[in-house]
Amino acid sequence: MYQREISAMRLSLLLVAAALSARAAAQMPLGGQGPPVAPGGGQVQPVVGGGPLSPEFYSQSCPRAERIIAEVVQAKQMANPTTAAGVLRVFFHDCFVSGCDASVLIASNQFAKSEHDAEINHSLPGDAFDAVVRAKLALELECPGVVSCADILALASRVLVTMTGGPRYPISLGRRDSLSSSPTAPDVELPHANYTVDRLIQMFGAKGFTVQELVALSGAHTLGFSHCKEFADRLYNFRDKGGKPEDFDPSMNPSYAKGLQAVCRDYLKDPTIAAFNDIMTPGKFDNMYFVNLERGLGLLSTDEELFTDPRTKALVQRYAANSTAFFDDFGRAMEKLSLFGVKTGAEGEVRRRCDAYNNGPMPK
């Protein structure tokens, strides 16, 4: 069995190294986690507003836009290797709440709160926001007032997926930036670490995403990390469905669970303690996340449920065995996600600064 293939000592060493690196990343401004990405069923929400999106949208108005964004975010990733996971997570949190419109980038102030104030967004990583800000500054020097923050975030996500070893997928451009940002919507609209597969399928299905897209997008957990509070209920005071106490969630590899217990033992005192979502290749975009699920090395309960639920297990096994199939499906799912709830024309604006509206929020 898979559990016998991984020695307890090797797992312990991997956990110590991973926890130290993840903890350092978690102490960055605004915390940090990998993208808790997930799933659904149906048709994606249509683009609203003005003209159509196109991969060539900036070919005349800012022909070097994609190159500038790539250069900036690649430099940021080289300096801070958790940037890729952070940008992916911010992109998901942006798109899934009100569409891919950069509403998550709006900063709160004394007059108005924003998506930043939602509890689920408190741990969004500072490096991800910084990468977008740096790209926007560079673009404003080249072609001021042309490239939207929503397009920057979409392109930055693709650049970093590719840079870390993942697939390159099509991105259409021409999004406008939002004129509003809700402080309450993210906690309602985004999935939480303890959601069941039933709840995830229902949530994502309502937004037009299939079960296959759920599993493919969840593969983004191959990058990034999670704070111990997100999975502590699997490690301490665990009880099975019948109420019987267990040392830890028995679906976990025993060596892995014991190692995490040691790493996270002081998480209540220090909430920055974290562990990588993918203990084997945490900085590489690959299919190891799915291989890990087969080995009992899934970190979050939602991860483990993907392998045990009959509606998703076959997909997990397929992606674990075939990285090409995973890359193909992930790329298609990301392309679809990037078009969710997009605003064009008068539905939005091109912000001068990504963290502030040009003329204040749209009146309610």
Side-chain angles (χ1 to χ4, degrees):
M1 293 295 292
Y2 284 117
Q3 290 186 355
R4 298 193 188 101
E5 295 176 10
I6 307 168
S7 71
M9 180 171 289
R10 184 186 178 201
L11 267 179
S12 297
L13 290 172
L14 284 167
L15 274 166
V16 170
L20 289 172
S21 299
R23 185 176 183 181
Q27 292 172 334
M28 296 183 297
L30 292 179
Q33 272 186 312
V37 194
Q43 296 298 315
V44 75
Q45 243 185 18
V47 173
V48 297
L53 273 65
S54 165
E56 308 300 322
F57 190 85
Y58 298 113
S59 61
Q60 298 298 319
S61 58
C62 193
R64 296 182 64 248
E66 291 190 44
R67 179 181 297 180
I68 290 169
I69 293 169
E71 289 174 351
V72 171
V73 300
Q74 285 169 349
K76 181 70 177 179
Q77 172 68 11
M78 291 179 68
N80 299 280
T82 59
T83 300
V87 169
L88 263 177
R89 185 169 184 239
V90 170
F91 177 66
F92 181 79
H93 279 224
D94 181 48
C95 291
F96 227 63
V97 173
S98 61
C100 302
D101 59 6
S103 56
V104 74
L105 302 179
I106 290 292
S108 303
N109 57 44
Q110 59 182 326
F111 304 107
K113 293 184 177 182
S114 72
E115 291 178 24
H116 274 221
D117 292 289
E119 183 178 357
I120 198 169
N121 284 342
H122 288 172
S123 61
L124 289 177
D127 272 332
F129 292 98
D130 185 58
V132 175
V133 168
R134 288 171 183 259
K136 179 63 171 176
L137 289 172
L139 286 165
E140 288 299 295
L141 293 174
E142 176 88 3
C143 38
V146 173
V147 183
S148 69
C149 301
D151 278 345
I152 293 172
L153 183 55
L155 285 170
S157 298
R158 182 180 69 178
V159 167
L160 292 168
V161 166
T162 305
M163 182 180 180
T164 52
R168 179 180 172 86
Y169 47 87
I171 290 287
S172 293
L173 303 170
R175 297 165 187 77
R176 289 297 184 107
D177 298 324
S178 73
L179 298 170
S180 63
S181 181
S182 168
T184 57
D187 287 325
V188 176
E189 297 292 327
L190 290 166
H192 294 249
N194 61 351
Y195 276 11
T196 62
V197 169
D198 271 337
R199 191 166 182 181
L200 289 175
I201 290 175
Q202 182 181 22
M203 171 181 281
F204 285 83
K207 293 178 183 291
F209 291 86
T210 67
V211 173
Q212 181 177 6
E213 289 159 349
L214 148 65
V215 181
L217 287 171
S218 295
H221 277 172
T222 189
L223 299 175
F225 58 89
S226 298
H227 293 95
C228 290
K229 69 176 182 178
E230 301 294 338
F231 52 89
D233 59 346
R234 303 186 72 197
L235 303 176
Y236 311 108
N237 304 314
F238 184 87
R239 291 180 179 273
D240 65 19
K241 292 181 180 180
K244 177 185 175 183
E246 302 275 3
D247 291 338
F248 47 78
D249 183 343
S251 68
M252 301 178 78
N253 178 292
S255 298
Y256 182 53
K258 291 174 183 176
L260 286 172
Q261 286 177 332
V263 165
C264 294
R265 63 177 175 267
D266 294 324
Y267 82 97
L268 292 175
K269 298 178 182 177
D270 183 358
T272 68
I273 300 175
F276 282 120
N277 297 325
D278 172 2
I279 191 177
M280 296 302 183
T281 56
K284 183 179 179 182
F285 195 101
D286 55 21
N287 67 333
M288 188 56 69
Y289 164 79
F290 298 105
V291 176
N292 287 342
L293 294 186
E294 293 183 320
R295 297 176 174 180
L297 301 177
L299 188 63
L300 304 176
S301 60
T302 50
D303 297 331
E304 174 59 30
E305 280 211 29
L306 291 180
F307 183 60
T308 57
D309 191 288
R311 293 166 293 183
T312 52
K313 182 173 182 176
L315 288 163
V316 170
Q317 292 172 321
R318 178 170 182 252
Y319 295 151
N322 188 336
S323 62
T324 300
F326 165 51
F327 277 22
D328 288 346
D329 289 351
F330 179 82
R332 282 190 289 268
M334 284 294 286
E335 182 183 9
K336 179 175 173 177
L337 177 64
S338 75
L339 298 174
F340 182 73
V342 167
K343 298 166 183 64
T344 61
E347 291 287 341
E349 64 182 3
V350 176
R351 293 185 203 140
R352 291 184 290 271
R353 287 180 44 155
C354 288
D355 63 349
Y357 309 107
N358 291 343
N359 299 299
M362 180 175 61
K364 295 182 179 179

